[in-house]
Coordinates of all heavy atoms in Angstrom, one line a residue:
R1 N 0.9 -1.2 0.0 CA 0.0 0.0 0.0 C 0.9 1.2 0.0 O 0.5 2.2 -0.6 CB -0.9 -0.1 1.2 CG -2.1 -1.0 1.0 CD -3.2 -0.9 1.9 NE -3.8 0.4 2.3 CZ -4.9 0.8 1.7 NH1 -5.5 0.1 0.8 NH2 -5.4 2.0 2.1
T2 N 2.0 1.2 0.7 CA 2.9 2.4 0.8 C 3.4 2.6 -0.6 O 3.5 3.9 -1.1 CB 4.0 2.1 1.8 OG1 3.4 1.9 3.0 CG2 4.9 3.4 1.8
L3 N 3.8 1.6 -1.4 CA 4.3 1.8 -2.7 C 3.3 2.4 -3.7 O 3.6 3.2 -4.5 CB 4.9 0.5 -3.3 CG 6.2 0.0 -2.6 CD1 6.7 -1.4 -3.2 CD2 7.3 1.0 -2.7
L4 N 2.1 1.8 -3.5 CA 0.9 2.4 -4.3 C 0.6 3.8 -4.0 O 0.4 4.6 -4.9 CB -0.3 1.5 -4.2 CG -0.3 0.1 -4.7 CD1 -1.6 -0.7 -4.3 CD2 -0.2 0.2 -6.3
Y5 N 0.7 4.1 -2.7 CA 0.5 5.5 -2.3 C 1.6 6.5 -2.9 O 1.3 7.5 -3.5 CB 0.6 5.6 -0.8 CG 0.3 7.0 -0.3 CD1 -1.0 7.6 -0.3 CD2 1.4 7.8 0.2 CE1 -1.2 8.8 0.2 CE2 1.1 9.1 0.7 CZ -0.1 9.6 0.7 OH -0.4 10.8 1.1
Q6 N 2.9 6.0 -3.0 CA 3.9 6.8 -3.6 C 3.7 6.9 -5.1 O 3.9 8.0 -5.6 CB 5.3 6.1 -3.3 CG 5.7 6.2 -1.9 CD 6.9 5.3 -1.6 OE1 7.4 4.6 -2.4 NE2 7.5 5.5 -0.4
E7 N 3.2 5.9 -5.7 CA 2.9 6.0 -7.1 C 1.7 6.9 -7.4 O 1.8 7.7 -8.4 CB 2.5 4.6 -7.7 CG 3.8 3.7 -8.0 CD 4.7 4.3 -8.9 OE1 4.3 4.8 -10.0 OE2 5.9 4.3 -8.6
A8 N 0.7 6.9 -6.5 CA -0.4 7.9 -6.6 C 0.1 9.3 -6.5 O -0.3 10.1 -7.3 CB -1.4 7.6 -5.5
Q9 N 1.0 9.6 -5.6 CA 1.6 10.9 -5.5 C 2.4 11.3 -6.7 O 2.3 12.4 -7.1 CB 2.4 11.0 -4.2 CG 1.6 10.9 -2.9 CD 2.4 11.1 -1.7 OE1 3.4 10.4 -1.5 NE2 2.0 12.0 -0.8
K10 N 3.2 10.3 -7.2 CA 4.0 10.6 -8.4 C 3.0 11.0 -9.6 O 3.4 11.7 -10.5 CB 4.8 9.4 -8.8 CG 6.0 9.2 -7.9 CD 6.9 8.0 -8.3 CE 7.9 7.7 -7.3 NZ 8.6 6.5 -7.7
S11 N 1.8 10.3 -9.6 CA 0.9 10.5 -10.7 C 0.1 11.9 -10.6 O -0.6 12.2 -11.4 CB -0.1 9.4 -10.7 OG 0.5 8.2 -10.9
G12 N 0.4 12.5 -9.4 CA -0.2 13.8 -9.3 C -1.5 13.8 -8.6 O -2.2 14.8 -8.5
I13 N -1.9 12.7 -8.0 CA -3.1 12.6 -7.2 C -2.9 13.3 -5.9 O -2.0 13.0 -5.1 CB -3.5 11.1 -7.0 CG1 -3.9 10.6 -8.4 CG2 -4.7 11.0 -6.1 CD1 -4.2 9.0 -8.3
R14 N -3.8 14.3 -5.6 CA -3.7 15.0 -4.4 C -5.1 15.0 -3.7 O -6.2 14.9 -4.4 CB -3.3 16.5 -4.6 CG -2.0 16.7 -5.3 CD -0.9 16.4 -4.3 NE 0.5 16.6 -4.9 CZ 1.2 15.6 -5.4 NH1 0.8 14.3 -5.3 NH2 2.4 15.8 -5.9
V15 N -5.1 15.1 -2.4 CA -6.3 15.2 -1.6 C -6.3 16.4 -0.9 O -5.4 16.7 -0.1 CB -6.5 13.9 -0.7 CG1 -7.8 14.1 0.2 CG2 -6.6 12.7 -1.5
S16 N -7.3 17.3 -1.0 CA -7.3 18.6 -0.4 C -7.8 18.5 1.1 O -8.4 17.5 1.4 CB -8.2 19.6 -1.1 OG -9.6 19.2 -1.0
D17 N -7.5 19.5 1.8 CA -8.0 19.5 3.3 C -9.5 19.5 3.3 O -10.1 18.9 4.1 CB -7.5 20.8 4.0 CG -6.0 20.7 4.2 OD1 -5.3 19.7 4.1 OD2 -5.4 21.8 4.5
D18 N -10.2 20.2 2.2 CA -11.6 20.1 2.1 C -12.2 18.8 1.9 O -13.1 18.4 2.4 CB -12.1 21.1 1.0 CG -12.0 22.6 1.4 OD1 -11.9 22.9 2.6 OD2 -12.0 23.4 0.5
E19 N -11.5 18.0 1.1 CA -11.9 16.6 0.9 C -11.9 15.8 2.1 O -12.7 15.0 2.4 CB -11.1 15.9 -0.2 CG -11.3 16.4 -1.6 CD -10.4 15.9 -2.7 OE1 -9.2 16.3 -2.7 OE2 -10.8 15.0 -3.5
V20 N -10.8 15.9 2.9 CA -10.7 15.2 4.1 C -11.8 15.7 5.1 O -12.4 14.8 5.7 CB -9.2 15.5 4.8 CG1 -9.1 14.9 6.2 CG2 -8.2 14.8 3.9
R21 N -11.9 16.9 5.2 CA -13.0 17.5 6.1 C -14.4 17.0 5.7 O -15.1 16.6 6.5 CB -12.9 19.0 6.1 CG -13.7 19.7 7.1 CD -13.5 21.2 7.1 NE -12.1 21.6 7.2 CZ -11.4 22.2 6.2 NH1 -11.9 22.5 5.0 NH2 -10.1 22.5 6.3
N22 N -14.6 17.1 4.4 CA -16.0 16.6 3.9 C -16.2 15.2 4.2 O -17.3 14.8 4.5 CB -16.1 16.9 2.4 CG -16.3 18.4 2.1 OD1 -16.7 19.1 3.0 ND2 -15.9 18.8 1.0
F23 N -15.2 14.4 4.2 CA -15.4 12.9 4.5 C -15.6 12.7 6.0 O -16.5 12.0 6.3 CB -14.1 12.1 4.1 CG -14.2 10.7 4.5 CD1 -14.9 9.8 3.7 CD2 -13.7 10.2 5.8 CE1 -15.1 8.4 4.1 CE2 -13.9 8.9 6.1 CZ -14.6 8.0 5.3
I24 N -14.8 13.4 6.8 CA -15.0 13.3 8.3 C -16.3 13.7 8.7 O -17.0 13.0 9.6 CB -13.9 14.1 9.0 CG1 -12.5 13.4 8.8 CG2 -14.1 14.2 10.5 CD1 -11.3 14.2 9.2
I25 N -16.9 14.7 8.2 CA -18.2 15.2 8.7 C -19.4 14.2 8.3 O -20.4 14.4 8.8 CB -18.5 16.6 8.2 CG1 -18.7 16.7 6.7 CG2 -17.5 17.6 8.8 CD1 -19.2 18.1 6.2
T26 N -19.1 13.3 7.4 CA -20.1 12.3 7.1 C -20.1 11.0 7.9 O -21.0 10.2 7.8 CB -19.9 11.8 5.6 OG1 -18.7 11.1 5.5 CG2 -20.0 13.0 4.7
V27 N -19.0 10.9 8.8 CA -18.9 9.7 9.7 C -19.9 9.7 10.8 O -19.9 10.7 11.6 CB -17.5 9.6 10.3 CG1 -17.3 8.4 11.2 CG2 -16.4 9.6 9.1
P28 N -20.8 8.7 10.8 CA -21.9 8.7 11.8 C -21.4 8.8 13.2 O -22.1 9.5 14.0 CB -22.6 7.4 11.5 CG -22.3 7.1 10.1 CD -20.9 7.6 9.8
A29 N -20.3 8.2 13.5 CA -19.8 8.2 14.9 C -19.4 9.7 15.4 O -19.4 9.9 16.6 CB -18.5 7.4 15.1
F30 N -19.3 10.6 14.5 CA -19.0 12.0 14.9 C -20.2 12.9 14.9 O -20.0 14.1 15.0 CB -17.9 12.5 13.9 CG -16.6 11.7 13.9 CD1 -16.0 11.6 12.7 CD2 -16.1 11.1 15.0 CE1 -14.8 10.8 12.7 CE2 -15.0 10.3 15.0 CZ -14.3 10.2 13.8
K31 N -21.3 12.3 14.8 CA -22.6 13.1 14.7 C -23.4 13.0 16.0 O -23.4 12.0 16.7 CB -23.4 12.7 13.5 CG -22.8 13.0 12.2 CD -23.7 12.6 11.0 CE -23.1 12.9 9.7 NZ -24.0 12.6 8.7
E32 N -24.0 14.1 16.3 CA -24.9 14.2 17.4 C -26.3 14.8 16.8 O -26.2 15.9 16.2 CB -24.5 15.2 18.5 CG -23.4 14.6 19.3 CD -22.9 15.5 20.4 OE1 -23.3 16.7 20.4 OE2 -22.1 15.0 21.3
N33 N -27.3 14.1 16.9 CA -28.6 14.4 16.3 C -28.5 14.6 14.8 O -29.1 15.6 14.2 CB -29.2 15.7 17.0 CG -29.4 15.5 18.5 OD1 -29.9 14.5 18.8 ND2 -29.1 16.4 19.3
G34 N -27.7 13.8 14.2 CA -27.5 13.9 12.7 C -26.7 15.0 12.2 O -26.5 15.1 11.0
V35 N -26.0 15.7 13.1 CA -25.1 16.8 12.7 C -23.7 16.5 13.2 O -23.6 16.2 14.4 CB -25.7 18.2 13.2 CG1 -24.7 19.3 12.9 CG2 -27.1 18.4 12.7
F36 N -22.7 16.8 12.4 CA -21.3 16.7 12.8 C -21.1 17.5 14.1 O -21.5 18.7 14.1 CB -20.4 17.1 11.8 CG -18.9 17.1 12.1 CD1 -18.2 15.9 12.3 CD2 -18.2 18.3 12.5 CE1 -16.9 15.9 12.7 CE2 -16.9 18.3 13.0 CZ -16.3 17.0 13.1
S37 N -20.3 17.0 15.1 CA -20.0 17.6 16.3 C -18.5 17.6 16.5 O -18.0 16.5 16.7 CB -20.7 16.9 17.4 OG -20.1 17.4 18.8
K38 N -17.8 18.7 16.5 CA -16.4 18.7 16.7 C -16.1 18.1 18.1 O -15.1 17.4 18.3 CB -15.9 20.2 16.7 CG -14.5 20.4 16.8 CD -13.6 19.9 15.6 CE -12.2 20.4 15.8 NZ -11.4 19.8 14.7
R39 N -16.9 18.4 19.1 CA -16.7 17.9 20.4 C -16.7 16.3 20.4 O -15.8 15.6 20.9 CB -17.7 18.4 21.5 CG -17.4 17.9 22.9 CD -18.6 18.3 23.8 NE -19.9 17.8 23.4 CZ -20.2 16.5 23.6 NH1 -19.5 15.6 24.1 NH2 -21.4 16.1 23.2
R40 N -17.7 15.8 19.7 CA -17.9 14.3 19.7 C -16.7 13.7 18.8 O -16.2 12.7 19.3 CB -19.2 14.0 19.0 CG -19.4 12.5 18.8 CD -20.7 12.1 19.4 NE -21.0 10.7 19.1 CZ -20.8 9.7 20.0 NH1 -20.4 10.0 21.2 NH2 -21.1 8.5 19.6
Y41 N -16.3 14.4 17.8 CA -15.1 14.0 17.0 C -13.9 13.8 17.9 O -13.3 12.8 17.9 CB -14.9 15.0 15.9 CG -13.6 14.9 15.1 CD1 -13.4 13.9 14.2 CD2 -12.6 15.8 15.3 CE1 -12.3 13.7 13.4 CE2 -11.4 15.6 14.6 CZ -11.2 14.6 13.7 OH -10.1 14.5 12.9
N42 N -13.6 14.9 18.7 CA -12.5 14.8 19.6 C -12.6 13.8 20.6 O -11.7 13.1 21.0 CB -12.2 16.2 20.2 CG -11.6 17.2 19.1 OD1 -10.8 16.8 18.3 ND2 -12.1 18.5 19.2
D43 N -13.8 13.7 21.2 CA -14.1 12.7 22.3 C -13.9 11.2 21.7 O -13.3 10.4 22.4 CB -15.5 12.8 22.8 CG -15.7 14.0 23.7 OD1 -14.7 14.7 24.0 OD2 -16.9 14.3 24.0
V44 N -14.4 10.9 20.6 CA -14.3 9.6 19.9 C -12.8 9.3 19.7 O -12.3 8.2 20.0 CB -15.1 9.5 18.7 CG1 -14.7 8.2 17.9 CG2 -16.6 9.5 19.0
L45 N -12.0 10.2 19.2 CA -10.6 10.0 18.9 C -9.9 9.9 20.1 O -9.0 9.0 20.3 CB -10.0 11.1 18.0 CG -10.6 11.3 16.6 CD1 -9.9 12.4 15.8 CD2 -10.5 10.0 15.8
R46 N -10.2 10.7 21.1 CA -9.5 10.6 22.4 C -9.7 9.2 23.1 O -8.8 8.6 23.6 CB -9.9 11.7 23.4 CG -9.0 11.8 24.6 CD -9.5 13.0 25.5 NE -9.6 14.3 24.8 CZ -10.8 14.8 24.5 NH1 -11.9 14.4 25.0 NH2 -10.9 16.0 23.9
Y47 N -11.0 8.8 23.1 CA -11.4 7.5 23.6 C -10.6 6.3 23.0 O -10.1 5.3 23.6 CB -12.9 7.3 23.4 CG -13.3 6.0 24.0 CD1 -13.6 5.7 25.3 CD2 -13.5 4.9 23.1 CE1 -14.0 4.5 25.8 CE2 -13.9 3.6 23.6 CZ -14.2 3.5 25.0 OH -14.6 2.2 25.4
N48 N -10.3 6.5 21.6 CA -9.6 5.5 20.9 C -8.1 5.7 20.8 O -7.4 5.0 20.1 CB -10.2 5.3 19.5 CG -11.6 4.7 19.5 OD1 -11.6 3.5 19.8 ND2 -12.6 5.5 19.3
R49 N -7.7 6.7 21.6 CA -6.2 7.1 21.7 C -5.7 7.3 20.3 O -4.6 6.8 19.9 CB -5.5 6.0 22.4 CG -5.9 5.9 23.8 CD -5.1 4.9 24.6 NE -5.5 4.9 26.0 CZ -5.5 3.9 26.8 NH1 -4.9 2.8 26.4 NH2 -5.9 3.9 28.0
I50 N -6.4 8.2 19.5 CA -5.9 8.5 18.2 C -5.7 10.0 18.1 O -6.7 10.7 18.5 CB -6.9 8.0 17.1 CG1 -7.1 6.5 17.1 CG2 -6.5 8.5 15.7 CD1 -8.2 6.0 16.3
D51 N -4.6 10.5 17.7 CA -4.4 11.9 17.5 C -5.2 12.3 16.3 O -5.1 11.7 15.2 CB -2.8 12.2 17.3 CG -2.5 13.6 17.1 OD1 -2.6 14.3 18.1 OD2 -2.3 14.0 16.0
P52 N -5.9 13.5 16.4 CA -6.6 14.0 15.2 C -5.8 14.1 13.9 O -6.3 13.8 12.9 CB -7.2 15.4 15.7 CG -7.2 15.3 17.2 CD -6.1 14.4 17.5
S53 N -4.6 14.6 14.0 CA -3.7 14.7 12.8 C -3.4 13.3 12.2 O -3.4 13.2 11.1 CB -2.5 15.6 13.1 OG -1.6 15.0 14.0
E54 N -3.2 12.4 13.1 CA -2.9 11.1 12.6 C -4.1 10.5 12.0 O -4.0 9.8 10.9 CB -2.6 10.2 13.9 CG -2.3 8.7 13.6 CD -2.1 7.9 14.9 OE1 -1.5 8.5 15.8 OE2 -2.5 6.7 14.9
F55 N -5.3 10.7 12.5 CA -6.6 10.2 11.9 C -6.8 10.9 10.6 O -7.1 10.3 9.6 CB -7.7 10.5 12.8 CG -9.0 10.1 12.3 CD1 -9.4 8.8 12.2 CD2 -9.9 11.0 11.8 CE1 -10.6 8.4 11.6 CE2 -11.2 10.7 11.2 CZ -11.5 9.3 11.2
E56 N -6.5 12.2 10.5 CA -6.8 12.9 9.3 C -5.8 12.5 8.2 O -6.1 12.4 7.0 CB -6.7 14.4 9.5 CG -7.9 14.9 10.3 CD -7.7 16.2 11.0 OE1 -6.8 17.0 10.6 OE2 -8.5 16.6 11.9
N57 N -4.6 12.2 8.6 CA -3.5 11.6 7.6 C -4.0 10.3 7.1 O -3.8 10.0 5.9 CB -2.2 11.6 8.2 CG -1.6 13.0 8.4 OD1 -1.8 13.9 7.7 ND2 -0.6 13.1 9.4
K58 N -4.6 9.5 7.9 CA -5.1 8.1 7.5 C -6.2 8.3 6.5 O -6.3 7.7 5.4 CB -5.6 7.3 8.6 CG -5.9 6.0 8.3 CD -6.7 5.2 9.3 CE -7.3 3.8 8.9 NZ -7.9 3.8 7.6
I59 N -7.1 9.3 6.8 CA -8.2 9.5 5.9 C -7.6 10.1 4.5 O -8.1 9.6 3.5 CB -9.2 10.5 6.4 CG1 -9.9 10.0 7.7 CG2 -10.2 11.0 5.4 CD1 -10.6 8.7 7.5
R60 N -6.7 10.9 4.6 CA -6.0 11.5 3.4 C -5.4 10.3 2.5 O -5.6 10.2 1.3 CB -5.0 12.5 3.7 CG -4.4 13.2 2.5 CD -3.4 14.3 2.9 NE -3.9 15.1 3.9 CZ -4.6 16.2 3.6 NH1 -5.0 16.5 2.4 NH2 -5.1 17.0 4.6
F61 N -4.8 9.4 3.2 CA -4.1 8.2 2.6 C -5.2 7.4 1.9 O -5.1 7.0 0.8 CB -3.4 7.4 3.7 CG -2.7 6.2 3.1 CD1 -1.4 6.1 2.7 CD2 -3.5 4.9 3.1 CE1 -0.8 5.0 2.2 CE2 -2.9 3.8 2.6 CZ -1.6 3.8 2.2
D62 N -6.3 7.1 2.7 CA -7.4 6.3 2.2 C -8.0 6.9 0.9 O -8.3 6.2 -0.1 CB -8.4 6.0 3.2 CG -7.9 5.1 4.3 OD1 -6.8 4.4 4.1 OD2 -8.6 5.0 5.3
I63 N -8.3 8.2 1.0 CA -8.9 8.8 -0.2 C -8.0 8.9 -1.4 O -8.5 8.6 -2.5 CB -9.4 10.3 0.1 CG1 -10.5 10.3 1.2 CG2 -9.8 11.1 -1.0 CD1 -10.8 11.7 1.8
T64 N -6.7 9.1 -1.1 CA -5.7 9.1 -2.2 C -5.7 7.7 -2.9 O -5.8 7.5 -4.1 CB -4.3 9.4 -1.7 OG1 -4.3 10.7 -1.1 CG2 -3.2 9.3 -2.8
M65 N -5.7 6.6 -2.0 CA -5.7 5.3 -2.6 C -7.0 5.0 -3.4 O -6.9 4.4 -4.4 CB -5.5 4.2 -1.4 CG -4.2 4.3 -0.8 SD -2.8 4.2 -1.9 CE -3.1 2.5 -2.5
S66 N -8.1 5.4 -2.9 CA -9.4 5.2 -3.7 C -9.3 6.0 -5.0 O -9.7 5.4 -6.0 CB -10.5 5.8 -2.8 OG -11.7 5.7 -3.5
K67 N -8.8 7.2 -5.0 CA -8.7 7.9 -6.3 C -7.7 7.2 -7.2 O -8.0 7.1 -8.4 CB -8.1 9.3 -6.0 CG -9.1 10.3 -5.5 CD -8.5 11.7 -5.4 CE -9.4 12.8 -5.1 NZ -8.7 14.1 -5.1
F68 N -6.6 6.7 -6.7 CA -5.7 6.0 -7.6 C -6.3 4.7 -8.1 O -6.0 4.5 -9.3 CB -4.4 5.7 -6.7 CG -3.2 5.1 -7.5 CD1 -2.6 5.9 -8.5 CD2 -2.8 3.9 -7.2 CE1 -1.6 5.4 -9.2 CE2 -1.7 3.3 -7.9 CZ -1.1 4.1 -8.9
E69 N -6.9 4.0 -7.3 CA -7.5 2.7 -7.8 C -8.6 3.0 -8.8 O -8.8 2.2 -9.7 CB -8.2 2.0 -6.6 CG -7.1 1.4 -5.6 CD -7.6 0.9 -4.4 OE1 -8.9 0.9 -4.2 OE2 -6.8 0.4 -3.5
N70 N -9.3 4.1 -8.7 CA -10.3 4.5 -9.8 C -9.7 4.9 -11.0 O -10.2 4.9 -12.0 CB -11.3 5.4 -9.2 CG -12.2 4.8 -8.1 OD1 -12.5 3.7 -8.1 ND2 -12.6 5.7 -7.2

């Protein structure tokens, strides 16, 4: 996966901060009453011992890979 990710980057595939943000706000675990909650987002990540920047980098990686595969 790392090599494929590097190839995706070489191919010019980029994922913007907006794309990452738009994905995150759709995750049901981060919603309260059907609306994204920054507090819930931070609480869920903290509970799972995940740093927000680490999580966002993983999302960026996953979106990049999805774009590359398509």
Side-chain angles (χ1 to χ4, degrees):
R1 286 191 50 97
T2 301
L3 292 175
L4 288 174
Y5 182 75
Q6 290 171 352
E7 283 301 312
Q9 290 183 312
K10 286 179 189 176
S11 299
I13 295 174
R14 300 286 181 260
V15 175
S16 71
D17 292 342
D18 284 341
E19 288 174 288
V20 172
R21 192 174 307 112
N22 288 337
F23 178 84
I24 290 171
I25 66 173
T26 67
V27 176
F30 303 142
K31 293 182 178 185
E32 289 181 346
N33 299 318
V35 178
F36 175 78
S37 166
K38 180 76 171 178
R39 183 188 59 77
R40 179 127 173 102
Y41 170 73
N42 288 321
D43 289 348
V44 169
L45 293 182
R46 190 176 315 110
Y47 178 80
N48 288 289
R49 297 183 176 153
I50 301 171
D51 180 74
S53 62
E54 178 184 326
F55 178 73
E56 291 162 15
N57 286 336
K58 182 194 177 313
I59 297 302
R60 186 177 310 277
F61 179 92
D62 290 347
I63 294 171
T64 300
M65 294 304 295
S66 178
K67 284 183 169 185
F68 187 62
E69 290 170 0
N70 290 330

